[in-house]
Amino acid sequence: MTSVQGTAVDIPTEDGVADAYLAHPGDGVPRPAVLLFQDAFGLRPQLRSMADRLAEAGYTVLVPNVFYRHGRAPVFELPDFIDTDARPEIFENIVPVMRALTPELAMRDAGAYLRWLADRPEAAPGPVALTGYCMGARLSLLTAGTYPDRVAAAAGFHGGRLATDAPDSPHLVAGRITAELYFGHADGDPSLPPQQIERLSKALGEAGVQHRCEVYDGAPHGFTQADTASYHREGDERHWAALLDLLKRTF
């Protein structure tokens, strides 16, 4: 097992300073970089653990607090385990913050994260990979289309609202994407109904984007997050296999 070094870091942006977590192998060798976009609950021990696992596999991983405009992480008070009963009250606080992060602001920030990684000695030169969870899957897709020259691969898991009727729907960036994409969708996810899955896959196919979209049978929305009641071990293990395979192929 590769030893991992994890560090709290600050990233300057056009709108302030984003706190983040950086994980990388402890051998001092520059590694391909992965930008990990959070779910709605934000930067917390669960996401640091996921970053550490990717670092153990040989990558330099950055997990920014995308809600930094509302404070340093943890932005929200969360229990150690987020059960079903706790979710309504938690989301009363989360939803306004999520809505405030417009695609324009999020992509401005993504540019800052990518520039910061490009200057880090822990990150190997060249394009990066992206992975995102829940709302982070949207950010992953948007970033791949907004910064195509900086992204070699992008993944998203249990993402919602990826292909809506809105004029700023993430799937509309498909024509600008040059990266290889992978999406692992939750089964029966109300935030990503079958028509959106079909619309996303069609947009990527028509744009000539190399991609794979898969529905994880029996896995609910949030299936990768072990600190929540939505965790689904089989779906999570499948997610890790797919993500590491994508990274291996594209780096």
Side-chain angles (χ1 to χ4, degrees), residues 58-169:
Y59 301 97
T60 290
V61 187
L62 179 67
V63 190
N65 167 24
V66 303
F67 295 149
Y68 71 89
R69 291 176 181 83
H70 301 269
R72 299 179 70 87
V75 177
F76 312 107
E77 184 176 347
L78 300 172
D80 293 336
F81 183 79
I82 304 168
D83 62 24
T84 304
D85 292 339
R87 293 175 73 94
E89 183 177 351
I90 292 171
F91 270 95
E92 285 184 13
N93 297 320
I94 290 178
V95 169
V97 175
M98 288 179 61
R99 288 176 176 166
L101 185 65
T102 64
E104 179 184 5
L105 291 177
M107 290 305 96
R108 196 158 75 202
D109 292 342
Y113 307 148
L114 292 170
R115 288 190 297 272
W116 188 88
L117 274 172
D119 291 336
R120 293 296 298 194
E122 301 90 347
V128 309
L130 314 171
T131 186
Y133 303 86
C134 182
M135 61 168 281
R138 295 200 305 276
L139 299 181
S140 183
L141 178 55
L142 285 168
T143 302
T146 305
Y147 301 97
D149 59 329
R150 292 287 294 125
V151 180
F157 298 91
H158 48 81
R161 298 172 50 242
L162 296 177
T164 70
D165 295 323
D168 59 355
S169 176

